[in-house]
């Protein structure tokens, strides 16, 4: 209150009037509002955001929780930066701010989220890296905190979610490879309990079964979703007792590492082994060109933000048609690798 009291004394106006002028309340005449704003700028007045948040019952912040660590995010992954751009595009319309909640790979994500919620850090949360069974969903629901998930889980509390269409990716990839004569196909499962791995592999099994093919366990390579993870898989492919003729990668950061690894073990994508993956800025420079799936990450971020705001009473009327649950489409871009 010291700052606003000094401002009020300087102008010889009540603290309440100064506060209403600073907050844009309609019951302050324009001349008074102008005087207050000019004086605030001249005196370097900055509102105490913590106190304002307590009085308003909101923080003006949306948190985006993601996990970090060399083994998770790799060296050049821009996936989240592009999604953030779309999210902030929407939040800026309402003078809301996006804050990345970075949970280290060495910390339990449930404990991390509980700490952030205890601090009253955000009005709403976007969760990523959703697990097969995810206790964070139930925790946020119990505390009545609006949230949306980038990804699905068997845990379901009725929250909105948007997930990449990994089933569609699996279907299209299998059909393409089987039609080209491949029957010994490998799959890379990002290490850990991320739900996307289960979703993808389950649909691959079903798609192969329709063609009378089975997915052998030795054809599933579990690794970290990073360039190093892709590099390691190349050596495993080379050492396979029964050679693979094709491989599908569900994570975009694996591709560049796999290409480098295959080159070192004497296998060329598109000639010795078909490769289908996810497009990324780095993948554009690969040779031979990658056959892979692409999507608009910025548009995905916009959809996430609008869907989250549609669940919050203050903004719900502004987004009556926001999607609540959907599979986000990915389009296949044909290249020379598979």
């Amino acid at each position: 209150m010291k700052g606003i009291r000094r401002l009020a004394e300087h102008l010889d106006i009540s603290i309440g009037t100064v506060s209403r002028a600073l907050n844009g309340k309609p019951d302050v005449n324009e001349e008074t509002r102008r005087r207050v704003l000019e004086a605030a700028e001249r005196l370097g007045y900055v509102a105490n955001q913590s106190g304002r948040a307590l009085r308003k019952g909101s923080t003006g912040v949306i948190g985006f929780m993601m996990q970090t660590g060399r083994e998770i995010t790799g060296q050049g992954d821009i996936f989240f930066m592009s999604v953030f751009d779309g999210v902030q595009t929407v939040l800026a319309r309402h003078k809301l701010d996006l804050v990345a909640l970075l949970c280290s790979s060495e910390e339990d994500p449930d404990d991390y989220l509980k700490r952030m919620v205890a601090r009253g850090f955000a009005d709403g949360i976007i969760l990523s890296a959703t697990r097969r069974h995810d206790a964070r969903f139930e925790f946020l629901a119990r505390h009545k905190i609006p949230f949306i998930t980038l990804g699905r889980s068997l845990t379901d509390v009725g929250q909105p979610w948007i997930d990449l269409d990994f089933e569609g990716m699996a279907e299209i990839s299998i059909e393409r490879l089987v039609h080209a004569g491949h029957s010994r196909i490998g799959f890379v499962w990002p290490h850990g309990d991320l739900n996307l791995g289960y979703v993808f592999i389950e649909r691959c099994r079903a798609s192969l079964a329709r063609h009378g093919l089975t997915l052998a366990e030795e054809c599933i390579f579990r690794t970290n979703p990073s360039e190093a993870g892709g590099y390691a898989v190349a050596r495993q492919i080379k050492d396979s007792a029964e050679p693979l003729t094709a491989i599908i990668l569900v994570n975009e950061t694996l591709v560049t590492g796999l290409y480098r690894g295959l080159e070192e073990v004497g296998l060329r994508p598109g000639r010795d082994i078909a490769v289908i993956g996810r497009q990324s800025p780095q993948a554009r420079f690969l040779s031979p060109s990658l056959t892979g799936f692409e999507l608009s990450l910025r548009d995905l971020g916009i959809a996430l933000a609008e869907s989250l705001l549609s669940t919050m009473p203050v903004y719900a009327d502004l987004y009556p048609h926001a999607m609540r649950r959907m599979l986000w489409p990915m389009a296949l871009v044909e290249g020379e690798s598979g």
Side-chain angles (χ1 to χ4, degrees), residues 307-323:
S307 182
L308 174 60
L309 293 182
S310 75
T311 69
M312 301 170 69
V314 176
Y315 309 105
D317 289 345
L318 301 174
Y319 299 99
H321 304 298
M323 58 194 72

Side-chain angles (χ1 to χ4, degrees), residues 190-204:
H191 183 70
D193 194 40
L194 296 181
N195 191 58
L196 70 89
Y198 293 93
V199 168
F200 183 70
I201 293 298
E202 286 171 1
R203 185 55 62 93
C204 287

Side-chain angles (χ1 to χ4, degrees), residues 108-140:
D108 181 85
D110 297 344
D111 292 340
Y112 176 87
L113 181 63
K114 290 176 182 177
R115 191 168 71 249
M116 293 300 103
V117 169
R119 291 177 177 173
F121 195 76
D123 298 332
I125 292 178
I126 302 172
L127 294 179
S128 64
T130 55
R131 292 163 288 169
R132 190 65 164 173
H133 300 278
D134 205 317
R136 297 177 300 172
F137 293 25
E138 295 167 332
F139 175 77
L140 290 174

Side-chain angles (χ1 to χ4, degrees), residues 17-270:
T17 299
V18 171
S19 176
R20 292 196 299 277
L22 290 171
N23 286 285
K25 299 298 184 182
D27 59 345
V28 180
N29 69 62
E30 289 306 313
E31 175 59 22
T32 300
R33 191 189 317 280
R34 182 190 62 78
R35 287 183 60 210
V36 170
L37 294 177
E38 288 180 355
E41 181 176 359
R42 188 166 60 251
L43 296 175
Y45 170 78
V46 177
N48 184 321
Q49 292 301 327
S50 297
R52 178 177 290 182
L54 286 172
R55 291 190 298 274
K56 293 173 61 180
S58 65
T59 64
V61 169
I62 298 297
F64 195 122
M65 182 176 170
M66 58 180 288
Q67 289 186 266
T68 64
R70 188 185 182 101
E71 294 182 346
I72 295 176
T73 56
Q75 299 295 314
D77 181 14
I78 68 162
F79 179 94
F80 284 107
M81 294 306 296
S82 299
V83 173
F84 289 167
D85 181 50
V87 172
Q88 187 58 51
T89 295
V90 176
L91 300 186
R93 302 171 191 164
H94 310 288
K95 301 291 190 285
L96 297 172
D97 294 311
L98 174 67
V99 173
L101 305 177
L102 306 179
C103 177
S104 168
S105 58
E106 298 180 0
E107 181 171 7
D108 181 85
D110 297 344
D111 292 340
Y112 176 87
L113 181 63
K114 290 176 182 177
R115 191 168 71 249
M116 293 300 103
V117 169
R119 291 177 177 173
F121 195 76
D123 298 332
I125 292 178
I126 302 172
L127 294 179
S128 64
T130 55
R131 292 163 288 169
R132 190 65 164 173
H133 300 278
D134 205 317
R136 297 177 300 172
F137 293 25
E138 295 167 332
F139 175 77
L140 290 174
R142 284 198 307 271
H143 286 77
K144 298 183 175 10
I145 297 174
F147 74 102
I148 184 173
T149 63
L150 175 53
R152 286 163 287 167
S153 170
L154 292 183
T155 306
D156 190 340
V157 295
Q159 85 291 340
W161 56 256
I162 299 177
D163 200 2
L164 304 190
D165 186 10
F166 294 112
E167 291 98 333
M169 179 181 176
E171 293 272 359
I172 293 171
S173 298
I174 296 297
E175 291 300 318
R176 180 182 179 87
L177 292 172
V178 171
H179 183 74
H182 297 280
S183 59
R184 183 75 174 170
I185 304 171
F187 306 86
V188 179
W189 184 325
H191 183 70
D193 194 40
L194 296 181
N195 191 58
L196 70 89
Y198 293 93
V199 168
F200 183 70
I201 293 298
E202 286 171 1
R203 185 55 62 93
C204 287
R205 289 187 192 278
S207 298
L208 287 169
R210 287 201 302 271
H211 295 281
L213 302 173
T214 58
L215 175 55
E217 185 62 29
E218 63 266 23
C219 292
I220 301 175
F221 301 90
R222 290 173 170 80
T223 190
N224 294 315
S226 65
E227 292 90 340
Y231 181 85
V233 166
R235 177 66 62 180
Q236 296 176 54
I237 292 173
K238 178 66 174 178
D239 294 341
S240 296
E242 187 176 347
L244 298 177
T245 63
I247 190 162
I248 307 172
L249 305 96
V250 73
N251 182 279
E252 71 278 4
T253 58
L254 292 163
V255 176
T256 52
L258 179 73
Y259 260 58
R260 175 65 182 272
L262 290 175
E263 178 184 351
E264 291 187 6
V265 299
L267 297 174
R268 180 171 174 79

